[in-house]
């Protein structure tokens, strides 16, 4: 199935509303805005989604105008998650509420800047071709992002807490997509991860 228009096609949801306390317990440094090559962590994550999908929503926390502004400048639609402190599921649900008309969603993390656009495209394609959930596998290990079809929208919208959609992926059949992309395993949790 060819890409539908921006509305109704596959949509990227970039979760960029976390606190990043493992990166900097004091909360002074925002890991998403840390330099990475000629970019920042979150901008690199967003660019990879934007290269693969026609529409990307970025969910950011209230008051994080720097992240919002950077992502808006790249072409993301910005969604403010007022209750971001409640956890990742709240951010995901907020994003989904703004993209319920999509064929499906690729849910990506703002602190995973090394995922290749080709991996994102492959996951989106699996959902377009009928998979309810598509997960990337690198050398037998499951990583992120994860793509969901419309069938699981009610379950996704009911999520709460900080586990994100992990329980849905665990409890329902999913299509494993083998990728030669170590980026699906690499998130930026501590300053040493930037090296």
């Amino acid at each position: 199935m060819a890409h539908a228009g921006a509305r109704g096609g596959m949509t990227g949801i970039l979760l960029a509303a976390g606190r990043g306390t493992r990166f900097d317990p004091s909360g002074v440094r925002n890991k998403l805005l840390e330099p990475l090559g000629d970019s920042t962590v979150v901008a690199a994550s967003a660019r990879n989604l934007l290269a693969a999908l026609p529409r990307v929503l970025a969910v950011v926390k209230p008051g994080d105008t720097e992240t919002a502004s950077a992502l808006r400048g790249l072409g993301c639609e910005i969604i403010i998650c007022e209750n971001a402190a409640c956890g990742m599921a709240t951010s995901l649900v907020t994003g989904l509420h703004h993209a319920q008309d999509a064929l499906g969603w690729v849910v990506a993390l703002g602190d995973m800047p090394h995922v290749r656009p080709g991996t994102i495209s492959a996951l989106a394609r699996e959902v377009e071709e009928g998979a309810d959930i598509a997960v990337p596998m690198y050398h037998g290990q499951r990583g992120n992002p994860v793509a969901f079809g419309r069938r699981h929208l009610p379950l996704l919208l009911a999520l709460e807490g900080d586990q994100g959609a992990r329980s849905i992926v665990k409890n329902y059949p999913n299509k494993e997509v083998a990728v030669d992309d170590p980026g699906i395993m690499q998130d930026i949790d501590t300053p040493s991860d930037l090296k």
Side-chain angles (χ1 to χ4, degrees), residues 10-11 92 96 102-107 123-124 127 131-135 145-153 156 159 164-166 168-169:
M10 289 296 292
T11 294
L92 175 55
L96 287 167
L103 172 74
W105 308 269
V106 178
V107 179
L123 295 169
V127 170
D132 291 324
I133 303 173
V135 296
V146 176
F148 294 92
R150 292 195 60 82
R151 178 175 182 187
H152 291 309
L153 182 61
L156 289 164
L159 289 170
R166 199 172 295 157
I168 298 173
V169 174

Side-chain angles (χ1 to χ4, degrees), residues 53-157:
L53 298 169
R55 182 184 185 204
V56 174
L57 276 65
V59 183
V60 301
K61 61 184 179 233
D64 191 356
T65 51
E66 203 176 340
T67 299
S69 167
L71 294 175
R72 187 178 290 112
L74 291 173
C76 297
E77 294 173 46
I78 303 302
I79 310 295
I80 306 295
C81 179
E82 295 299 340
N83 303 321
C86 294
M88 188 188 297
T90 307
S91 297
L92 175 55
V93 169
T94 300
L96 287 167
H97 271 297
H98 289 270
Q100 291 189 54
D101 53 352
L103 172 74
W105 308 269
V106 178
V107 179
L109 306 176
D111 66 352
M112 293 191 70
H114 303 297
V115 178
R116 296 178 185 153
T119 295
I120 297 162
S121 296
L123 295 169
R125 198 162 43 247
E126 290 294 342
V127 170
E128 286 174 334
E129 291 171 1
D132 291 324
I133 303 173
V135 296
M137 303 290 290
Y138 178 71
H139 294 305
Q141 284 191 290
R142 177 189 294 156
N144 280 300
V146 176
F148 294 92
R150 292 195 60 82
R151 178 175 182 187
H152 291 309
L153 182 61
L155 286 172
L156 289 164
L157 289 174

Side-chain angles (χ1 to χ4, degrees), residues 168-192:
I168 298 173
V169 174
K170 203 171 84 183
N171 293 317
Y172 291 88
N174 50 72
K175 170 82 180 182
E176 295 183 348
V177 182
V179 294
D180 184 21
D181 182 357
I184 70 164
M185 310 301 299
Q186 298 167 346
D187 59 347
I188 307 295
D189 273 338
T190 64
S192 64

Side-chain angles (χ1 to χ4, degrees), residues 20-33:
T21 46
R22 272 184 297 181
F23 187 88
D24 179 6
S26 74
V28 173
R29 289 168 69 189
N30 181 343
K31 71 175 177 180
L32 297 180
L33 296 172

